[in-house]
Amino acid sequence: MNIKFIYTLLMGLFLFHTFLQAEIHRIMPLGDSITYDDLRSDYESTPRPTGIRKAYRADLWYMLEEAKISVDFVGSQVAGQDIVPPFDVNNEGHPGWTSYDISSRVYQFLSANPADTILLHIGTNDRSSSVDGITAILDDIDRYERDSGTHVRVLVAMIIGRLSVSNVVIDNFNANLTHLVQQRIQQGDMLTLVDMYQGAGLISDDYADITHPNASGYQKMATLWFNTLIQPYNVALHSYPQSIVSSEYIQSVVVDENTKLVTFVTKVPDYGITF
Amino acid sequence: MKNILTLTSFTLILLGCGGGSSSGSNKTFSGAIVVSEVYTVFPGDSIVKHSDPAIINIIHKEGQSESTIELIEGNVTILRKP
């Protein structure tokens, strides 16, 4: 009787452990050619097959796999299916797209392929220092979260520079992006700024052309995405303020991952606040 | 004896009708709150504003159902369902 009880208990624990291990984190790589893997030469001569396009996605997948973090890359695009070892090839990388193009579709992307986390690298094709397109993307992600009752964390990358051209526009774009992300974090948005511009450490040898990284450049990008993803991030705490009051009323949010406390200052809306 | 019973009943009625106290972290509090005092709120409680703006600070710990609030500016009331 006792042995049977212990066996049942152990089996239960084993199944519970397996269930926890099986929890899969859905990640949407979202952006342009730097997410999909397009080169200038793909337009000047015979384009490379889609099966070998991997950008940073393959290296990131391998890093997550080695760290035993179960993920599911999601998106309507498929690129990299011939790469060995295989990786999850789904993504939302759209060569040539601007941030405004992404903003007009991001709600549909998430509706079709729900994600827990988005890796956003967009703005290179904007050729402008304005981040209005990024604002529109984040607004629509917020709208999706409200409509679906889910929370989506967005890792917003400062975009990588270009070679042999002035990076003044990208400098200004990234400065504006930093300000925007910090402001929205203050209002309770689940955003993390990723310094892909300086923090990834890309140098001229890491580029295949003036805009797109080569294999070593993409590996550096993958490393920074990975290092950011594995940092502690308590979704329950970060999402709490916006679960009881709309972001437009929130003035500041501070999350302490160690004490598991969220402290925030908010205006009380006309309709009040219900806990 | 009758007087004692009457007095006891009256006292009990008074206690039963007692409104909220203004002391911070009082779990039975329900009413207007004052600036810089800390109050505990529970699931189902509502904050209603009586001024514009009305600004509060909210502290929440993961895993706990209650939160604490502190009025920074304006006038608000905590409404607690019985």
Side-chain angles (χ1 to χ4, degrees), chain A residues 234 236-237 240 244 251 259-275, chain B residues 41-49 53-62 67 69 72 76:
Chain A
N234 191 321
L237 276 183
Y240 182 77
I244 63 168
Q251 296 186 333
T259 59
K260 297 185 188 302
L261 279 176
V262 56
T263 305
F264 59 106
V265 174
T266 180
K267 287 183 178 175
V268 180
D270 289 341
Y271 53 82
I273 295 174
T274 299
F275 290 88
Chain B
V41 289
F42 300 88
D45 287 356
S46 298
I47 307 295
V48 179
K49 76 171 185 179
I55 301 173
I56 59 173
N57 184 46
I58 302 175
I59 301 175
H60 180 75
K61 186 177 176 73
E62 187 192 13
S67 304
I69 67 164
I72 295 175
V76 303

Side-chain angles (χ1 to χ4, degrees), chain A residues 99-100 103 106 131-141 184:
Chain A
S99 59
Y100 300 93
S103 73
V106 68
V131 289
D132 288 350
I134 306 290
T135 300
I137 292 171
L138 298 177
D139 284 348
D140 250 29
I141 292 172
R184 292 187 74 120

Side-chain angles (χ1 to χ4, degrees), chain A residues 19-30:
Chain A
F19 170 75
L20 288 180
Q21 290 287 96
E23 188 181 335
I24 295 174
H25 193 81
R26 297 165 300 181
I27 295 176
M28 177 183 284
L30 176 61

Side-chain angles (χ1 to χ4, degrees), chain A residues 24-258:
Chain A
I24 295 174
H25 193 81
R26 297 165 300 181
I27 295 176
M28 177 183 284
L30 176 61
D32 48 31
S33 55
I34 296 167
T35 296
Y36 183 85
D37 193 350
D38 230 14
L39 297 174
R40 172 173 278 209
S41 58
D42 291 319
Y43 295 92
E44 292 170 345
S45 57
T46 306
R48 294 168 300 143
T50 58
I52 65 164
R53 314 290 187 92
K54 60 188 177 75
Y56 63 78
R57 296 174 287 111
D59 287 326
L60 176 59
W61 176 267
Y62 303 144
M63 291 174 195
L64 292 165
E65 197 172 47
E66 193 173 329
K68 303 200 184 310
I69 299 170
S70 296
V71 296
D72 177 14
F73 283 177
V74 298
S76 60
Q77 299 288 90
V78 171
Q81 58 272 32
D82 297 331
I83 299 290
V84 178
F87 70 104
D88 190 333
V89 295
N90 294 119
N91 69 91
E92 287 293 358
H94 298 271
W97 281 32
T98 65
S99 59
Y100 300 93
D101 296 324
I102 294 286
S103 73
S104 67
R105 296 290 301 278
V106 68
Y107 191 99
Q108 290 168 262
F109 291 160
L110 285 166
S111 300
N113 294 291
D116 304 302
T117 299
I118 291 173
L119 310 180
L120 180 65
H121 185 286
I122 191 70
T124 308
N125 297 309
D126 289 25
R127 303 283 200 270
S128 159
S129 59
S130 166
V131 289
D132 288 350
I134 306 290
T135 300
I137 292 171
L138 298 177
D139 284 348
D140 250 29
I141 292 172
D142 283 350
R143 185 166 66 89
Y144 167 80
E145 288 178 274
R146 282 194 300 275
D147 292 351
S148 65
T150 59
H151 301 295
V152 182
R153 180 189 179 197
V154 186
L155 273 53
V156 185
M158 296 164 71
I159 60 175
I160 62 172
R162 302 177 75 212
L163 288 182
S164 310
V165 293
S166 166
N167 276 319
V168 171
V169 171
I170 289 180
D171 267 337
N172 292 334
F173 176 89
N174 284 331
N176 292 336
L177 185 69
T178 302
H179 178 71
L180 171 69
V181 171
Q182 288 171 345
Q183 191 178 42
R184 292 187 74 120
I185 289 172
Q186 282 288 298
Q187 293 177 316
D189 254 10
M190 294 209 310
L191 308 178
T192 301
L193 186 67
V194 181
D195 184 6
M196 209 58 86
Y197 188 40
Q198 305 286 348
L202 268 69
I203 57 173
S204 56
D205 286 348
D206 296 317
Y207 282 81
D209 56 38
I210 62 168
T211 307
H212 305 96
N214 58 21
S216 64
Y218 278 131
Q219 187 164 40
K220 288 180 177 179
M221 288 184 72
T223 301
L224 188 53
W225 283 129
F226 175 76
N227 288 337
T228 308
L229 279 168
I230 61 170
Q231 293 300 312
Y233 192 87
N234 191 321
V235 172
L237 276 183
H238 284 274
S239 62
Y240 182 77
Q242 287 202 19
S243 72
I244 63 168
V245 63
S246 177
S247 63
E248 64 195 275
Y249 298 101
I250 298 172
Q251 296 186 333
S252 67
V253 178
V254 176
V255 172
D256 189 326
E257 300 273 352
N258 295 321

